[in-house]
Amino acid sequence: MSLSDILGSIFSFENYGEILALVQNSVWAGAVLGLLGGLVGTFVMKRDLAFAVHGISELSFAGAAFALLVGADVVLGSLAGSVVAALVIALMGGRAREKNSVIGVLMPFGLGLGILCLALYEGRAANKFGLLTGQIVAVDTVQLQLLAVTALAVVLSLAAIWRPLTFASVDPEMAHARGVPVRGLSIAFLLILGVSVALSIHVVGALLMLALLITPAAAALKVTSSPRLVLVLSVVFAVAATVGGILLALGGRLPISPYITTLSFLIYAVSASIGWYRRRRALNGRLQPVPGERQRTTPVAASR
């Protein structure tokens, strides 16, 4: 296969306008998921739960695969798996080491259970592959409205616990001493994270969930340390990667996830480069002598 054939399989914009008109609801759904991923991902980075995202996504995949096998609603199966994983992580893991141990146990179990269900499923192969790597689903108006209402409920729940959750994420010991319910907030946030994973699994796929819930927030933290600006940039980066990935995937024969993950990586690479340049410039500014100030000489240097 030549390079032109490879590029032709990745990008092909013939009849792009007609295709775009058919999947406008999917584009709006991607924007909603990008908004949700940017908001939740900020707290995922603050609470160091990147590993938990992967663990929850594996059990969410198992729930979706089981629902596909028995003919139930895939979204409900994915949501059930995510909620179960979030509750297990929250209730069984108190310390970071315990949480990582629980997640390490859940990940292979969820992945193995999901693969077993897909192996027993005798339907279309595209449905199997889509759960792992994502796909463009023809979202109708009812599904889009349900997604928007669910995402709004998640955002409102996150807004209700925003200040105490921020305090508990930055300094959990001090928050506990001040009477903040740190454990209750941890359980609540993990449930919010589980719902966010369940809503996003059909766009990004179970194996590449980190691109939506981790990479945009990590890129924002490379650019600025302002909490508000980090939140805004995280949402902007997540929406740009999700919507941009969907728009690019409409012109190719590949699944949607490679486009989203590539855009997320490029955003992170540019943000990391900007952060490195700012740190290097600030370091050089501190090392340069102040104009008009004499350079001090040590006694050893003066005696020489």
Side-chain angles (χ1 to χ4, degrees):
M1 181 179 291
S2 63
L3 180 60
S4 60
D5 295 333
I6 296 176
L7 293 178
S9 63
I10 298 177
F11 301 106
S12 177
F13 295 99
E14 296 180 1
N15 302 321
Y16 187 82
E18 291 80 359
I19 299 175
L20 180 61
L22 296 176
V23 294
Q24 288 184 359
N25 288 334
S26 297
V27 176
W28 283 110
V32 172
L33 293 177
L35 171 64
L36 193 61
L39 292 174
V40 176
T42 303
F43 283 101
V44 170
M45 295 300 298
K46 288 181 179 179
R47 301 179 68 87
D48 195 17
L49 290 176
F51 195 39
V53 172
H54 201 28
I56 293 175
S57 66
E58 300 294 357
L59 216 59
S60 178
F61 159 69
F66 179 77
L68 186 66
L69 176 63
V70 300
D73 189 275
V74 176
V75 176
L76 293 179
S78 176
L79 182 61
S82 296
V83 171
V84 169
L87 287 176
V88 170
I89 295 172
L91 296 177
M92 294 185 63
R95 299 178 180 178
R97 181 177 297 179
E98 295 175 354
K99 274 188 170 60
N100 290 335
S101 299
V102 173
I103 296 168
V105 172
L106 286 177
M107 284 177 57
F109 170 73
L111 186 59
L113 183 61
I115 293 176
L116 173 63
C117 293
L118 292 186
L120 297 176
Y121 177 69
E122 298 180 353
R124 295 177 57 200
N127 295 333
K128 303 179 182 181
F129 194 63
L131 291 180
L132 290 170
T133 59
Q135 61 182 343
I136 299 177
V137 182
V139 181
D140 57 25
T141 304
V142 176
Q143 292 173 333
L144 179 60
Q145 291 175 351
L146 180 60
L147 174 63
V149 170
T150 307
L152 179 61
V154 172
V155 172
L156 292 178
S157 301
L158 191 61
I161 60 174
W162 191 275
R163 295 189 64 181
L165 182 62
T166 302
F167 189 17
S169 302
V170 175
D171 194 344
E173 290 80 9
M174 182 62 69
H176 180 72
R178 292 289 185 89
V180 177
V182 177
R183 185 171 178 79
L185 288 172
S186 178
I187 296 174
F189 177 71
L190 282 170
L191 288 176
I192 291 174
L193 178 60
V195 175
S196 302
V197 169
L199 294 177
S200 307
I201 192 172
H202 297 289
V203 174
V204 185
L207 298 181
L208 302 172
M209 187 63 63
L210 299 178
L212 185 60
L213 290 172
I214 300 297
T215 311
L221 289 171
K222 290 291 184 180
V223 176
T224 180
S225 58
S226 172
R228 294 182 179 179
L229 190 55
V230 165
L231 178 66
V232 173
L233 289 178
S234 178
V235 171
V236 171
F237 292 161
V239 172
T242 308
V243 175
I246 292 175
L247 294 178
L248 288 175
L250 293 178
R253 295 194 294 262
L254 299 179
I256 185 174
S257 54
Y259 299 98
I260 294 180
T261 53
T262 301
L263 287 178
S264 297
F265 175 77
L266 291 177
I267 291 173
Y268 179 83
V270 172
S271 300
S273 301
I274 293 174
W276 175 84
Y277 174 76
R278 287 181 174 179
R279 290 192 301 270
R280 187 65 179 268
R281 186 176 180 181
L283 180 61
N284 292 335
R286 287 196 299 267
L287 294 178
Q288 290 178 359
V290 179
E293 182 179 355
R294 292 182 179 180
Q295 293 183 351
R296 297 181 179 179
T297 57
T298 61
V300 177
S303 63
R304 293 179 182 176

